[in-house]
């Protein structure tokens, strides 16, 4: 099988699977493409504006949010960061990178009955505090960790 035929079969299979999931109501295209209210959040340039867009006045600092990230990231292009919330009824986990051109890196909705644990890789412009926000029972909690970036990242 040549590469172009294989690629065409993969693309067709993906589109077919997505169509089936949408048809069954398991995937909502509006949700998959992002919520309208979050458009402003992902355009913020600092922590204060990000908190304002998220509707947070002042988060309560909490050690119940465990952040696993390297102290020094050799490559800022993809820094692995894990956030685990030990706060009951966690509804949302958000990643904020203080010195990035856009502060909010990711926002995850946590479904009831699932583990509030998220792992992702973020691009970091330079050494920065990574703040994890957790929304639970109407309150917002935060914890942060500094990650030093030695090269790469958003700044080149």
């Amino acid at each position: 099988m040549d590469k172009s035929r294989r690629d065409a079969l993969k693309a067709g299979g993906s589109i077919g699977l997505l169509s089936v999931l949408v048809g069954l109501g398991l995937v909502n295209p509006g949700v998959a493409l992002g919520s309208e209210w979050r458009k402003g959040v992902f355009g913020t340039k600092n922590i204060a504006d990000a908190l304002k867009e998220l509707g947070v006045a002042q988060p309560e600092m909490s050690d119940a949010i465990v952040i696993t990230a390297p102290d020094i990231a050799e490559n800022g292009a993809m820094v692995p960061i894990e956030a685990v919330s030990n706060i009951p009824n966690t509804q949302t986990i958000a990643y904020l990178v203080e010195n990035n051109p856009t502060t909010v890196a990711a926002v995850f909705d946590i479904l009831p009955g699932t583990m509030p644990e998220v792992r992702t890789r973020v691009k970091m412009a330079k050494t920065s505090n990574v703040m994890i926000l957790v929304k639970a029972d109407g309150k917002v909690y935060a914890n942060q960790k500094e990650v030093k970036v030695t090269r790469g990242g958003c700044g080149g």
Side-chain angles (χ1 to χ4, degrees):
M1 182 181 314
D2 65 9
K3 185 167 174 48
S4 62
R5 182 174 176 208
R6 181 176 297 170
D7 291 341
L9 289 172
K10 282 183 184 177
S14 296
I15 292 169
L17 177 62
L18 181 60
S19 298
V20 169
L21 293 175
V22 170
L24 292 173
L26 297 174
V27 173
N28 181 343
V31 172
L33 297 175
S35 299
E36 187 70 25
W37 67 270
R38 290 189 174 153
K39 284 185 178 179
V41 169
F42 288 105
T44 57
K45 306 292 183 197
N46 57 56
I47 294 286
D49 289 347
L51 292 175
K52 183 178 176 184
E53 282 291 329
L54 289 167
V56 178
Q58 183 64 38
E60 179 180 327
M61 298 305 286
S62 174
D63 290 333
I65 302 168
V66 179
I67 303 171
T68 304
D71 294 329
I72 299 173
E74 292 183 17
N75 184 357
M78 51 182 205
V79 180
I81 300 173
E82 177 183 35
V84 176
S85 172
N86 294 313
I87 300 170
N89 302 318
T90 295
Q91 300 163 305
T92 304
I93 296 177
Y95 284 57
L96 283 64
V97 182
E98 188 174 15
N99 291 330
N100 267 8
T102 54
T103 304
V104 178
V107 178
F108 300 93
D109 291 329
I110 307 299
L111 297 176
T114 59
M115 294 178 60
E117 176 180 321
V118 179
R119 285 184 209 138
T120 191
R121 295 173 190 251
V122 299
K123 190 171 186 176
M124 295 182 64
K126 55 187 173 183
T127 298
S128 178
N129 284 323
V130 174
M131 178 181 277
I132 303 296
L133 292 178
V134 169
K135 182 178 179 184
D137 287 334
K139 293 182 70 177
V140 179
Y141 304 89
N143 198 358
Q144 66 182 16
K145 176 181 180 167
E146 182 184 59
V147 177
K148 294 183 180 187
V149 175
T150 56
R151 66 180 171 99
C154 300

